[in-house]
Amino acid sequence: MAQNKSQQAICRSVFKSGESTTSQKQFTQKWIELINRLEKNKRTYAVKR
């Protein structure tokens, strides 16, 4: 599926090792990052209220 230079990918891989599978450690680390980002946003929203 070719893309024009003006188009940007909607999705991107967060696992840039080039392997066909993701290790459990990489997967867990990305979940931790996601949860931390969500918790940070909750705290920011609570302070603004």
Side-chain angles (χ1 to χ4, degrees), residues 10-41:
I10 294 172
C11 298
R12 67 177 176 84
S13 175
V14 294
F15 307 105
K16 301 206 179 232
S17 66
E19 297 174 10
S20 61
T21 60
T22 303
S23 72
Q24 183 176 2
K25 183 177 179 180
Q26 289 174 310
F27 187 81
T28 302
Q29 183 59 41
K30 289 302 173 184
W31 266 110
I32 291 168
E33 290 173 16
L34 175 64
I35 292 167
N36 287 340
R37 185 178 298 170
L38 291 171
E39 291 297 321
K40 180 180 177 185
N41 288 340

